[in-house]
Amino acid sequence: MNIKMSAPTAFRSQSPLDNAMIARYAPSVFAQEAHDSRGERYAFIPTSDVLDGLRAEGFEPYEVRQTRVRDVNKREHTKHLLRLRHPTALKNDEGHGEIILLNSHDGTSSFQLMSGFFRMVCANGIIAGDVAADCRVRHTGRVVEDVIDASFRVIDELNAVGSRINDYKAVAMDRPHQELFARAALALRYDDGAAPIDANRLLTLRR
């Protein structure tokens, strides 16, 4: 019996990704037209055009993802994500500051930009949505220019991310305070008395 494996839809690299590698994991980045479901008012701007514009300004992609779809007709247009770095973005011993670009060509997403922080202890990357910029650009008008402008605004917000990380790192807690913190975290996550683990186990490293 032959089993057809689904194509991989995510890849992370330690060096900038070229177009061939991006297309392998997220062909929707290079869509040549909008999905058939889009109307006349929908301005089709390929993500690849935006990527070209960002590269010209010094941004480079290090991660690519796209959603899995059951309808093969949507695979070339579905939602996708690029994580990019810029030489002026935050970088320290903890990791790299990045911008996250989301888009689709089937109407499920506008161009959306957020700032995130990639740490090697967390291979999925951390999207710091609580302190980071969140910019959305509709599929109308000067999309490429608007996305580039928003990208630099997002980079500025990465300084806030770095400041928050440094503040957290400066907090030293002894064991009783750690347990108090863990119990408070469990109380936020679960109803009183319903947590499946105790505070001490929550503090155990599993890397």
Side-chain angles (χ1 to χ4, degrees):
M1 179 177 65
N2 293 327
I3 300 177
K4 184 178 180 180
M5 301 297 291
S6 59
T9 59
F11 183 72
R12 177 87 191 182
S13 175
Q14 295 301 311
S15 57
L17 299 171
D18 59 24
N19 285 354
M21 186 62 72
I22 294 172
R24 177 181 177 184
Y25 292 92
S28 56
V29 171
F30 299 97
Q32 297 300 305
E33 59 185 2
H35 189 261
D36 293 341
S37 62
R38 298 302 88 206
E40 294 182 359
R41 296 179 59 186
Y42 182 88
F44 172 69
I45 306 294
T47 303
S48 56
D49 286 1
V50 175
L51 177 59
D52 289 342
L54 289 170
R55 278 179 169 144
E57 297 294 334
F59 292 87
E60 290 291 347
Y62 283 78
E63 181 178 336
V64 61
R65 295 174 180 268
Q66 84 168 32
T67 56
R68 295 182 182 274
V69 291
R70 293 185 177 182
D71 185 352
V72 294
N73 293 324
K74 286 190 174 183
R75 185 170 184 267
E76 308 297 323
H77 305 87
T78 191
K79 185 183 294 185
H80 44 273
L81 174 153
L82 291 167
R83 294 183 68 124
L84 305 99
R85 297 178 188 170
H86 192 271
T88 62
L90 175 70
K91 179 181 178 182
N92 56 33
D93 293 339
E94 289 293 311
H96 297 269
E98 300 177 334
I99 65 168
I100 295 95
L101 173 65
L102 292 169
N103 189 37
S104 76
H105 299 303
D106 60 1
T108 57
S109 174
S110 59
F111 279 99
Q112 183 178 359
L113 285 157
M114 299 177 288
S115 58
F117 199 74
F118 184 83
R119 303 176 67 183
M120 291 310 297
V121 296
C122 178
N124 290 325
I126 298 173
I127 297 177
D130 56 338
V131 296
D134 184 351
C135 303
R136 298 172 187 267
V137 179
R138 298 180 62 186
H139 285 259
T140 57
R142 49 192 293 277
V143 172
V144 176
E145 293 84 355
D146 288 344
V147 171
I148 291 173
D149 291 344
S151 297
F152 281 106
R153 293 199 303 272
V154 169
I155 283 181
D156 291 339
E157 292 295 329
L158 280 170
N159 291 328
V161 177
S163 178
R164 180 69 61 86
I165 291 172
N166 290 332
D167 289 345
Y168 288 157
K169 288 175 63 178
V171 176
M173 294 189 293
D174 55 22
R175 186 66 185 188
H177 284 94
Q178 292 177 18
E179 293 176 356
L180 182 63
F181 181 83
R183 287 196 296 271
L186 289 173
L188 287 173
R189 175 62 180 83
Y190 302 99
D191 295 333
D192 291 342
I197 59 175
D198 59 31
N200 287 322
R201 185 177 176 188
L202 189 65
L203 294 171
T204 302
L205 296 178
R206 294 191 299 169
R207 295 175 191 154

